[in-house]
Amino acid sequence: MRLILLGAPGVGKGTQATLLSKALSIPHISTGDMFRYHISNNTDLGMEAKQYIDKGMLVPDEITVGMVADRLKQQDCRNGFVLDGFPRTIQQAKFLDKILKDLNIQLDMVINITLDDREIIKRLSGRRICPQCSAVYHIEDKPPKNEGLCDNCGTGLVQRGDDKEETIIKRLQVYHSQSEPILEYYKDKVKIVNIESHKLLEVTTKRVFEALGVDYKTLNAC
Ligand SMILES: [Zn+2]
């Protein structure tokens, strides 16, 4: 199955992509992982990307698209893939069309995970991380036993910069103006399934698997 996962920050796309990748035995292709791979292996694309990242600039589409094209050509993508974090703009979606056309493959489905902005802000801004052991908490949904301290190691919990309310609001604005229009772009091209993200991970996962016609139990088998 060839899938694209879309959705605003905080809806749990990455987690769903990982679970789908396991259950369907297809690679999970995330732009974050691709960047890390190319940069740590000093590939041409990685070194180009690094120049922009080091200056705090956005990596131009040609570089990101080059990495995606390179990845989709690999053997393990033959039976499918799940793309997470790409495309992010209509421009990238058009580039992706071209890559897929050149490879003579078609997308099967776009899965759009939805959640109300207020709910996203609540979810992300309540998140606290242990800087020592990376455990993740939530002030309302998963509070630590002792306020502000990690259950595992007792270290003081912190809020990541990305999870600060003003940062989330900015990220949501970028999402609505640049990424959301992709849905309109795909409307007549590929099947789009909208799935509302639930607070409980298992509920969201069940909804996603149902939409794909995949037995939820296959997850436990892997
Ligand atoms: Zn800890």
Side-chain angles (χ1 to χ4, degrees), residues 130 132-135 150 152-155:
C130 171
Q132 186 63 34
C133 73
S134 308
C150 177
N152 303 332
C153 63
T155 308

Side-chain angles (χ1 to χ4, degrees), residues 23-216:
L24 299 169
S25 305
I26 51 175
H28 169 196
I29 303 178
S30 96
T31 37
D33 289 344
M34 271 187 325
F35 278 118
R36 279 186 287 276
Y37 169 83
H38 281 274
I39 290 169
S40 65
N41 285 287
N42 292 315
T43 67
D44 290 345
L45 286 169
M47 291 196 301
E48 267 185 77
K50 198 169 177 297
Q51 288 180 358
Y52 291 92
I53 294 167
D54 286 347
K55 287 180 201 147
M57 291 162 77
L58 274 180
V59 177
D61 274 349
E62 301 86 79
I63 298 176
T64 313
V65 169
M67 290 182 187
V68 174
D70 185 70
R71 185 67 190 86
L72 291 177
K73 277 177 199 150
Q74 287 169 31
Q75 196 72 14
D76 64 339
C77 290
R78 274 194 158 183
N79 295 320
F81 50 80
V82 48
L83 268 174
D84 159 29
F86 185 93
R88 224 177 255 281
T89 59
I90 288 188
Q91 190 60 33
Q92 289 188 348
K94 287 180 181 166
F95 276 124
L96 179 62
D97 276 353
K98 198 180 169 303
I99 298 172
L100 296 174
K101 200 169 166 236
D102 289 345
L103 291 170
N104 201 20
I105 52 181
Q106 276 185 328
L107 289 172
D108 291 305
M109 205 186 283
V110 170
I111 300 169
N112 180 40
I113 305 185
T114 64
L115 190 62
D116 188 79
D117 277 7
R118 274 166 311 180
E119 202 51 46
I120 291 178
I121 293 167
K122 225 168 87 184
R123 253 192 221 182
L124 292 181
S125 64
R127 202 149 69 172
R128 296 293 180 274
I129 315 275
C130 171
Q132 186 63 34
C133 73
S134 308
V136 181
Y137 299 87
H138 191 280
I139 50 172
E140 280 174 30
D141 300 335
K142 198 191 167 202
K145 288 190 192 90
N146 299 304
E147 203 187 319
L149 298 176
C150 177
D151 291 349
N152 303 332
C153 63
T155 308
L157 301 176
V158 297
Q159 186 181 37
R160 293 190 321 163
D162 260 7
D163 293 339
K164 295 233 179 351
E165 186 163 338
E166 58 272 25
T167 314
I168 302 165
I169 291 170
K170 271 190 206 137
R171 288 167 71 202
L172 285 172
Q173 281 167 351
V174 172
Y175 171 78
H176 289 305
S177 65
Q178 297 187 8
S179 301
E180 215 162 42
I182 300 174
L183 291 167
E184 190 63 28
Y185 175 79
Y186 279 129
K187 210 176 68 184
D188 302 316
K189 294 186 168 70
V190 55
K191 185 179 177 189
I192 300 175
V193 184
N194 295 301
I195 289 161
E196 199 189 5
S197 176
H198 193 277
K199 200 156 86 174
L200 295 172
L201 173 64
E202 310 89 82
V203 179
T204 313
T205 309
K206 268 191 183 142
R207 287 176 182 167
V208 170
F209 277 51
E210 244 169 52
L212 282 165
V214 179
D215 190 352
Y216 184 68

